[in-house]
Amino acid sequence: PRSHPAWRPFVGPLSSSSQRQALTILRGLFNWLVQAGYCPRNPWALGMPKRHRPPADQARLTRHFSLPQWLALMTTLAGWPEDDLLARRHKARARWVLMLLYITGMRISEACAARSQDVLEERASDGTCRRWLRIDGKGGHIREVPLAEPLWQAWVRYRAESGFPPVAMGGQQPL
């Protein structure tokens, strides 16, 4: 009981099961806040669902670039030639695709299926703009991932370099 002298809930770190329970509670709370209209998005929805979590004792497989690898990749890309229109277009497309896959963590099939109509735009009262990409993922699960400003600028630049019309929200163009 709470009156017992051994009851000390905030001494030491939470166990992994307590951490999972806390995340489950937060995810549920924010789901309710979204459904009730108090919150526009659930920040905990981007977390890994329970059924896809690896067991705690299993070594974690990483399938992403480390920061030094990413910086080396972007440095190499920056050194690509821009002598003519075709080279500039090729460089802008490569930058856009690499950033899209790296920043969002999308599968290649998800990126190929994405359209500009899947981009949602949200304007805050202070004038700032947040953009989200709705992804129809594996198993028919739909999720929304934030489009960071550098990623957005890379998309705008790619479209401009490629001679495509400016970004039109809700259009049918492929990303």
Side-chain angles (χ1 to χ4, degrees), residues 77-148:
L77 185 61
W80 282 15
E82 297 185 43
D83 302 335
D84 58 15
L85 179 62
L86 187 59
R88 284 192 303 276
R89 287 180 175 177
H90 185 66
K91 184 176 179 176
R93 181 179 63 235
R95 181 186 305 106
W96 158 242
V97 170
L98 286 170
M99 288 181 74
L100 177 69
L101 295 174
Y102 180 74
I103 292 174
T104 65
M106 296 171 70
R107 293 178 176 85
I108 293 173
S109 60
E110 295 168 343
C112 291
R115 299 286 178 252
S116 60
Q117 69 186 10
D118 300 327
V119 175
L120 309 171
E121 193 171 67
E122 202 174 76
R123 293 219 178 258
S125 58
D126 64 356
T128 58
C129 183
R130 293 184 296 183
R131 295 174 186 92
W132 303 78
L133 178 61
R134 182 171 298 165
I135 298 171
D136 187 10
K138 188 175 179 181
H141 296 283
I142 295 177
R143 67 183 197 277
E144 293 175 352
V145 295
L147 292 179

Side-chain angles (χ1 to χ4, degrees), residues 119 121 131 147-157 167 169:
V119 175
E121 193 171 67
R131 295 174 186 92
L147 292 179
E149 190 60 29
L151 180 57
W152 179 259
Q153 293 305 320
W155 186 31
V156 169
R157 182 175 177 183
V167 175
M169 299 301 295

Side-chain angles (χ1 to χ4, degrees), residues 44-92:
W44 298 100
L46 296 176
M48 195 181 302
K50 284 182 184 177
R51 67 181 175 277
H52 294 300
R53 281 194 199 124
D57 59 342
Q58 180 181 347
R60 185 178 167 109
L61 177 65
T62 57
R63 293 184 177 164
H64 60 82
F65 294 120
S66 66
L67 183 57
Q69 291 171 327
W70 176 250
L71 294 174
L73 185 62
M74 289 292 103
T75 302
T76 302
L77 185 61
W80 282 15
E82 297 185 43
D83 302 335
D84 58 15
L85 179 62
L86 187 59
R88 284 192 303 276
R89 287 180 175 177
H90 185 66
K91 184 176 179 176

Side-chain angles (χ1 to χ4, degrees), residues 9-61:
F10 300 109
V11 174
L14 290 176
S15 66
S16 60
S17 63
S18 294
Q19 290 174 13
R20 281 192 305 274
Q21 178 66 20
L23 288 174
T24 299
I25 291 167
L26 285 171
R27 194 174 289 121
L29 169 67
F30 274 89
N31 278 335
W32 182 85
L33 290 171
V34 168
Q35 290 175 355
Y38 290 111
C39 189
R41 301 269 189 271
N42 182 352
W44 298 100
L46 296 176
M48 195 181 302
K50 284 182 184 177
R51 67 181 175 277
H52 294 300
R53 281 194 199 124
D57 59 342
Q58 180 181 347
R60 185 178 167 109
L61 177 65

